[in-house]
Amino acid sequence: MTPGHARSLIIGIGNPYRGDDGVGIAVVRRLRARPPSGVTILEAGGEGAALLDAWTDATNVILVDAVHSGAPPGTIHRFDAAALEIPRRFFHYSTHAFSVAEAVELARTLAQLPPCVIVYGIEGRNFAAGVGLSTEVEQAVTAVAVQVLEEMRAFQAGGTPCLKFPSQPI
Amino acid sequence: MNGRTIKVESLARVEGEGGLFVRIQGERVTEVQLRIFEPPRFFEAFLRGRMFSEAPDITARICGICPVAYQMSACHAVEDAFGVQVDGQLRALRRLLYCGEWIESHALHVYMLHAPDFLGYEDAIRMAKDHPQVVQRGLRLKKTGNNIVRLVGGREIHPINVRVGGFYRVPGKQELAPLAEELRRARDAALETVRWVAAFPFPAFDRDYEFVALRHPEEYPFNEGRLVSNKGLDIAVREYDQHFVEEHVAHSNALHAVLQARGAYSVGPLARYNLNFDRLSLLAQEAARTAGLGAVCRNPFQSIVVRSVELVYACDEALRLIAQYEMPDRPAADIAPRVATGFGCTEAPRGILYHRSRLDDHGVILDAKIVPPTSQNQKTIEGDLWQCVPANLELPKDTLQWRCEQAVRNYDPCISCATHFLHLHIERA
């Protein structure tokens, strides 16, 4: 499928009323300030089954969510979900048990995973009820937004972004 | 004499996270704690000082699975305070919106969170490997619910179209036609769901529950009714605080709600069903009977069947509402703020959700009280575990732990509504 017929999607996931769980939403709101053309930007609450719906017919999907894996707050993890199973422990602190990692794995099982799915997990520190991001997490927002934009541009230029960027903490 | 404890670190397949601790001495259970850590009344505090018009948008953020329930309870509380009655097609649209939420919430729980327990799968993904079409059916059902919420509520998650007095925009009759088409298929899928779950193996389990639900003169309850129980409770919603109290329990940051007169009680599909069977549509009643249910069901493990029956009802009711729908002249009733306290109680997918709001004459919220269904079920869930564990002591450790978790999942607990996270610890000393 050529990029001209591709459907590109960026989904920010989280709850802005649960501290660092709002980082995914913060990232896509930053992107909305100067949205890349030809890309749909969505905000989602993290309920997994809704994600399967949202990425129907999409070819290139980037998800952004908070994670809690024990790494230092603000650490940015990148997963190539089309290539590898996402460690489920990473999405443990989603407010819903049927969360991003499970949605991806369910989609894979049902052959409903888009050809290219990149997941950015930003390590959070505080998931208690409240508004606002921790300092380290806030600082990661710009870096992730920039990275997401670059990935999308690379795809639209005809490349396959999954191959161009390393799948490791940046 | 060795004691054993059961601690599940992280309860799987519940909304949010939760913890369970059970201590066993010999053959006796000596302690059961459902550890739910509630955010310290954040949202109640957050509402203070806000305009009444912000209540639906703020409360919708409390839960990603049941935002409509929070919006409805909040709206009704404010409308009660200001003497506003939402009638006619606006009332019908609210019921339709709630049908959508029940469908998507129940479909998610039945297929993704609960069915794996009965079929011996660790999770829905493993179940999907063996039964992809069944899981697809559940996802399509859920999607129908989401589509209703999106059409009437304006967005699938945190519906933006709801406001005190009604809506910002109401659909035209033609807009609902494709939804009706989809709902007919969903209703068939719901009937298949009842047939599917009716065949699951159910452990025998019975307790003398007090079930509490809304009851309405004509309808299976969503937004309106009196609060009733099977043990004599029959009160107006505004009398809730005189009969229900919340106790702080040492082991849990969540407050346990109890009936002052009699203690623990149970809310949710089983309570609604037992108190309102005669209000179900004929198709739903028939589906229940064919599934082997009587008009009363007290086995919480069979809640999955009752949830599926409610799926049938919600599809049926949504179709009925769409068939009779005519676009109202105005999307919302007029609101005139006044100094008052108002009360709302609606049937969230998981049970009654109570909201009290005190306002000033500018419409500013002075204080609010929100009691989610899951915090009302906590004592009952613990009570079930007190009975469930000794009855299953001979099971291997992993199976016993699973049975405990399944017992918690019977209540479809939305722990993110009632709490921050829960760790289930099982210790075998």
Side-chain angles (χ1 to χ4, degrees):
Chain A
M1 186 176 286
T2 65
H5 295 280
R7 197 184 145 227
S8 296
L9 196 51
I10 301 171
I11 309 180
I13 297 154
N15 185 347
Y17 286 69
R18 294 222 183 237
D20 293 335
D21 198 25
V23 66
I25 304 290
V27 168
V28 297
R29 284 185 184 168
R30 188 75 59 87
L31 290 170
R32 280 191 203 281
R34 260 187 319 185
S37 63
V39 179
T40 306
I41 298 177
L42 298 177
E43 293 178 20
E47 192 283 296
L51 293 176
L52 267 80
D53 245 6
W55 68 48
T56 307
D57 300 329
T59 44
N60 189 46
V61 178
I62 300 180
L63 308 173
V64 188
D65 195 5
V67 299
H68 187 93
S69 70
T75 303
I76 301 165
H77 308 271
R78 180 187 177 278
F79 304 97
D80 178 349
L84 289 168
E85 195 174 302
I86 303 177
R88 289 195 217 174
R89 63 189 176 87
F90 274 88
F91 296 96
H92 183 67
Y93 273 77
S94 163
T95 51
H96 301 281
F98 196 77
S99 65
V100 173
E102 279 145 316
V104 169
E105 294 316 313
L106 183 68
R108 199 195 308 279
T109 303
L110 296 173
Q112 286 182 264
L113 198 62
C116 185
V117 178
I118 304 296
V119 183
Y120 281 89
I122 303 163
E123 197 76 31
R125 172 155 57 86
N126 162 48
F127 294 90
V131 175
L133 303 175
S134 310
T135 312
E136 314 92 311
V137 176
E138 175 74 57
Q139 282 162 358
V141 169
T142 304
V144 173
V146 165
Q147 181 82 352
V148 166
L149 274 177
E150 280 179 33
E151 293 223 40
M152 271 303 172
R153 266 187 220 123
F155 176 76
Q156 287 168 323
T160 314
C162 303
L163 302 176
K164 280 195 168 21
F165 293 87
S167 277
Q168 65 207 22
I170 57 174
Chain B
M1 181 55 151
N2 278 346
R4 289 184 291 164
T5 53
I6 299 172
K7 268 166 134 188
V8 175
E9 183 64 36
S10 176
L11 258 182
R13 285 182 280 119
V14 294
E15 299 298 327
E17 296 93 11
L20 171 66
F21 179 85
V22 179
R23 181 174 285 122
I24 304 161
Q25 306 280 152
E27 300 290 299
R28 275 195 324 127
V29 174
T30 55
E31 200 168 354
V32 167
Q33 298 174 6
L34 190 64
R35 292 170 168 169
I36 293 180
F37 302 97
E38 185 182 18
R41 295 302 203 188
F42 170 73
F43 282 94
E44 289 174 345
F46 203 73
L47 283 166
R48 240 173 266 147
R50 299 275 170 168
M51 284 299 293
F52 72 88
S53 50
E54 297 178 88
D57 300 315
I58 292 172
T59 57
R61 290 279 180 187
I62 296 175
C63 180
I65 287 292
C66 46
V68 169
Y70 282 94
Q71 292 184 321
M72 291 295 104
S73 287
C75 284
H76 278 276
V78 174
E79 287 153 12
D80 181 55
F82 296 159
V84 174
Q85 190 70 21
V86 175
D87 273 334
Q89 292 295 346
L90 292 179
R91 184 184 188 277
L93 281 172
R94 281 186 168 177
R95 278 184 75 82
L96 180 58
L97 181 62
Y98 233 142
C99 286
E101 181 154 281
W102 278 25
I103 291 167
E104 61 111 339
S105 176
H106 282 0
L108 174 76
H109 189 258
V110 167
Y111 281 86
M112 298 298 147
L113 305 182
H114 211 193
D117 284 329
F118 296 91
L119 297 175
Y121 291 101
E122 203 177 305
D123 56 43
I125 291 144
R126 281 172 243 260
M127 190 172 79
K129 281 194 172 75
D130 291 347
H131 305 282
Q133 269 130 359
V134 168
V135 172
Q136 294 279 26
R137 184 177 67 209
L139 290 174
R140 275 196 305 271
L141 251 174
K142 183 183 185 306
K143 181 169 182 175
T144 301
N146 287 131
N147 287 345
I148 297 174
V149 174
R150 184 180 28 216
L151 195 103
V152 182
R155 196 162 69 187
E156 275 176 35
I157 298 164
H158 313 305
I160 51 176
N161 192 30
V162 172
R163 63 168 155 169
V164 174
F167 300 88
Y168 289 101
R169 183 193 170 274
V170 289
K173 195 171 170 73
Q174 333 70 266
E175 284 178 71
L176 296 178
L179 208 50
E181 189 53 48
E182 196 181 337
L183 273 161
R184 277 184 276 274
R185 287 193 295 272
R187 185 168 54 185
D188 287 340
L191 286 164
E192 275 182 68
T193 306
V194 177
R195 283 191 283 273
W196 178 54
V197 302
F200 287 175
F202 297 108
F205 198 92
D206 192 2
R207 281 180 66 209
D208 186 22
Y209 298 106
E210 178 153 9
F211 294 107
V212 177
L214 290 178
R215 181 152 172 90
H216 184 274
E218 283 127 35
E219 304 160 337
Y220 200 75
F222 280 113
N223 288 13
E224 289 166 32
R226 289 179 65 81
L227 279 165
V228 302
S229 83
N230 57 325
K231 295 194 181 212
L233 184 78
D234 185 352
I235 60 169
V237 164
R238 54 183 35 245
E239 297 172 82
Y240 179 96
D241 289 324
Q242 290 140 48
H243 295 265
F244 296 89
V245 292
E246 290 182 284
E247 316 175 320
H248 192 95
V249 181
H251 60 259
S252 165
N253 278 8
L255 297 170
H256 280 200
V258 292
L259 264 165
Q260 230 161 16
R262 291 177 291 282
Y265 61 102
S266 173
V267 303
L270 233 52
R272 284 192 289 264
Y273 179 89
N274 289 337
L275 294 164
N276 295 282
F277 180 84
D278 56 340
R279 305 281 191 252
L280 282 169
S281 64
L282 292 178
L283 186 68
Q285 288 180 6
E286 193 187 303
R289 289 205 186 90
T290 312
L293 294 182
V296 171
C297 173
R298 292 214 306 246
N299 185 345
F301 289 90
Q302 287 183 294
S303 60
I304 193 171
V305 186
V306 174
R307 233 169 243 112
S308 304
V309 169
E310 284 196 334
L311 267 171
V312 172
Y313 173 73
C315 293
D316 233 5
E317 177 67 357
L319 281 162
R320 185 191 73 79
L321 291 162
I322 290 173
Q324 62 83 55
Y325 179 71
E326 296 295 337
M327 187 172 177
D329 296 328
R330 304 168 65 225
D334 287 328
I335 311 294
R338 63 187 185 194
V339 173
T341 299
F343 308 85
C345 189
T346 70
E347 288 279 358
R350 292 159 183 79
I352 52 171
L353 169 59
Y354 170 74
H355 188 120
R356 183 192 74 210
S357 206
R358 190 165 66 90
L359 305 117
D360 71 13
D361 55 348
H362 298 291
V364 173
I365 300 169
L366 299 174
D367 63 61
K369 177 174 173 176
I370 302 170
V371 187
T374 298
S375 37
Q376 297 179 76
N377 274 339
Q378 281 189 69
K379 238 183 170 59
T380 296
I381 297 174
E382 284 189 359
D384 279 7
L385 289 162
W386 276 102
Q387 183 166 315
C388 183
V389 172
N392 290 286
L393 275 178
E394 78 292 346
L395 291 176
K397 174 192 170 176
D398 286 347
T399 315
L400 175 57
Q401 178 175 319
W402 192 342
R403 183 57 59 86
C404 288
E405 295 184 45
Q406 186 181 2
V408 177
R409 281 193 282 273
N410 285 341
Y411 291 85
D412 183 11
C414 192
I415 296 174
S416 58
C417 293
T419 180
H420 177 51
F421 69 88
L422 178 82
H423 290 301
L424 180 60
H425 288 285
I426 292 192
E427 277 171 7
R428 296 276 175 156

